[in-house]
Amino acid sequence: MLRMAACGIMGLGAALLIAALLLWTYTTSRITKIPLDLDATLISDGSGTALDPGSMNSQKYVVNKNVPLVSQQQISVESPANADVVTLQVGTSVRRSDKQKDTGLLLALVDTVTLNRKTAMAVSDETHPGGAIQKPRGFNDDTPPTNIALPHDGLAYRFPFHTEKRTYPYFDPIAQKAFDANYDGEEDVNGLTTYRFTQDVGYDADGKLADPVTYPSLYANDDDSKATATAAMWGVPGDPDEKITMSRYYAAQRTFWVDPESGTIVKEEEHANHYFARDPLKPELTLADYKVTSNEETIESQVNAARNERDRLALWSRVLPITFTASGLIALIGGLLLGSFSLRTEAALLDPGLDTADHGFFGRGEPAEEPVSGAEAETEILPTPPKDVPHEPGPPGAAPPERP
């Protein structure tokens, strides 16, 4: 029974070591993936210069300065979502918080992208564009939304697990292409060490317009990328009744604070500029020029999400493998000791003399005493009988007893 118990304990130890090895090599790579249960609302606050939507039906466009703005992103998971890919649907809106309901809405966009769950890169090819963008609708339009296929490339809304200190392509759904997000150092965000990345879209490193993007139209007749109005409506000098056509341009600067372990963007700052102009480097009418930063509730929520991901990764990649390895080694050593004890026990039961041999039960008994010679041996002293004890006569012919 002892030998069976020893074999069982050693088998358990070997199983624990194998499990630890599998956790380190196989399971860890399986869990470093974007979760399939993402559901987050990200809020950013700020201010800027913005067009008064109500003035579009007046005789002149009115632009207000220093207006409060709120940007909101709603992220959810759509199909397809499986072991390899996840599809994110992200609704983004920018509105003036000093206006009520739709009168303050400046921008609205619904972007859908399919990402590789491990690399966070968009999955796109000739037959599968890997994304779509929802065609804009009017406030009173009750028709179902229509998606326009939009090939995506680079990262989108997340960074990869174990983010590195390098440059990544990051997709801009408004410009409809990816731009570099450059590593810019480390920074503490609510007690979490993050990597800071910066992205310039149409701006140079000094924050000046350099190569703004011509706004890609989502309509066949470019209704949302060009506009024609009178000079008086535009507010430009010249003949007030002259018809002038201007193009819409877009530029942006973004800063991302990323948890390097999980790739979660815990904080984001965005400076975006939408404007109309005849010369792309000379804005003439501002649609929205604003700067917003993630609010404290959003930052705290994203930091907690990143910590949860870190804890999950640590559990499967460090805590459990180390625990299994230590337990496995202890079980193997204990099994070997128990096996050795069982062999000695069996040997002692088969030959009890082994327990009094020079090695004792565990080979370390007291040495047996050496035999003593006859001269040195102890002798037994017999008692002397008393003198007054009568002696019985012996048989006839026997010699008389000697007196002592």
Side-chain angles (χ1 to χ4, degrees):
M1 290 179 65
L2 289 176
R3 279 188 293 174
M4 292 177 62
C7 291
I9 293 175
M10 287 189 290
L12 176 61
L16 289 172
L17 292 177
I18 294 173
L21 180 62
L22 290 176
L23 286 173
W24 260 316
T25 59
Y26 179 78
T27 306
T28 301
S29 64
R30 294 282 177 171
I31 64 172
T32 52
K33 294 182 178 182
I34 299 175
L36 296 177
D37 58 351
L38 289 179
D39 186 7
T41 299
L42 311 179
I43 307 294
S44 297
D45 300 323
S47 61
T49 300
L51 177 70
D52 182 357
S55 67
M56 299 181 69
N57 298 321
S58 65
Q59 295 182 351
K60 183 181 180 179
Y61 295 129
V62 177
V63 177
N64 304 129
K65 295 182 178 180
N66 297 320
V67 297
L69 297 172
V70 176
S71 174
Q72 177 175 309
Q73 274 190 347
Q74 178 64 50
I75 302 176
S76 59
V77 175
E78 303 291 332
S79 181
N82 51 46
D84 300 318
V85 300
V86 60
T87 300
L88 302 180
Q89 185 178 81
V90 183
T92 304
S93 66
V94 178
R95 65 175 60 249
R96 294 176 56 163
S97 56
D98 61 339
K99 298 287 185 179
Q100 298 296 321
K101 299 182 180 180
D102 296 333
T103 59
L105 184 63
L106 298 176
L107 300 168
L109 180 72
V110 178
D111 180 36
T112 303
V113 58
T114 300
L115 303 175
N116 182 298
R117 292 183 61 195
K118 189 171 183 63
T119 65
M121 290 285 185
V123 179
S124 181
D125 54 38
E126 295 180 356
T127 57
H128 301 85
I133 195 166
Q134 195 174 106
K135 186 176 180 179
R137 296 181 296 165
F139 294 128
N140 299 320
D141 190 350
D142 296 330
T143 59
T146 302
N147 286 333
I148 302 172
L150 176 62
H152 286 57
D153 63 322
L155 305 175
Y157 308 107
R158 287 185 67 95
F159 278 70
F161 283 86
H162 308 302
T163 301
E164 300 176 359
K165 299 177 180 180
R166 66 179 182 88
T167 297
Y168 289 93
Y170 192 91
F171 190 78
D172 186 320
I174 297 177
Q176 299 185 9
K177 61 180 179 180
F179 295 84
D180 287 344
N182 302 302
Y183 173 76
D184 192 40
E186 294 185 7
E187 189 171 332
D188 182 274
V189 177
N190 287 18
L192 187 71
T193 300
T194 64
Y195 290 174
R196 186 176 62 251
F197 292 85
T198 57
Q199 182 188 50
D200 292 319
V201 180
Y203 282 104
D204 61 17
D206 297 325
K208 297 181 179 180
L209 285 173
D211 187 19
V213 177
T214 302
Y215 189 81
S217 177
L218 299 176
Y219 293 95
N221 54 0
D222 295 343
D223 284 347
D224 56 348
S225 64
K226 293 182 181 293
T228 301
T230 63
M233 191 77 173
W234 288 115
V236 299
D239 182 359
D241 297 326
E242 179 186 1
K243 295 289 185 178
I244 299 176
T245 299
M246 293 191 184
S247 298
R248 181 175 172 179
Y249 295 94
Y250 162 73
Q253 288 180 305
R254 295 184 181 88
T255 302
F256 306 99
W257 286 264
V258 181
D259 170 36
E261 294 293 325
S262 65
T264 302
I265 300 174
V266 300
K267 179 182 176 181
E268 183 175 350
E269 181 179 270
E270 180 181 26
H271 169 215
N273 189 3
H274 298 258
Y275 61 92
F276 285 96
R278 287 167 286 185
D279 182 340
L281 297 180
K282 296 179 180 180
E284 297 183 76
L285 179 73
T286 299
L287 176 61
D289 184 5
Y290 59 90
K291 185 176 183 179
V292 293
T293 306
S294 302
N295 64 17
E296 284 302 319
E297 291 183 1
T298 295
I299 294 173
E300 186 64 27
S301 173
Q302 290 298 95
V303 167
N304 289 337
R307 291 188 186 281
N308 290 337
E309 283 294 301
R310 283 190 172 200
D311 292 342
R312 184 174 67 92
L313 292 177
L315 175 64
W316 291 98
S317 63
R318 291 192 294 274
V319 176
L320 288 180
I322 292 174
T323 302
F324 284 2
T325 299
S327 301
L329 291 175
I330 292 173
L332 282 178
I333 295 173
L336 289 173
L337 291 177
L338 183 60
S340 175
F341 178 79
S342 67
L343 292 177
R344 293 182 179 277
T345 302
E346 183 178 0
L349 292 175
L350 293 176
D351 187 0
L354 291 175
D355 196 28
T356 59
D358 58 354
H359 51 71
F361 185 75
F362 286 101
R364 301 181 63 179
E366 295 293 333
E369 296 182 356
E370 295 182 1
V372 182
S373 61
E376 298 179 356
E378 296 182 1
T379 57
E380 182 180 2
I381 301 176
L382 298 177
T384 303
K387 295 181 179 182
D388 55 352
V389 176
H391 295 276
E392 296 181 1
E402 297 181 355
R403 292 185 177 272

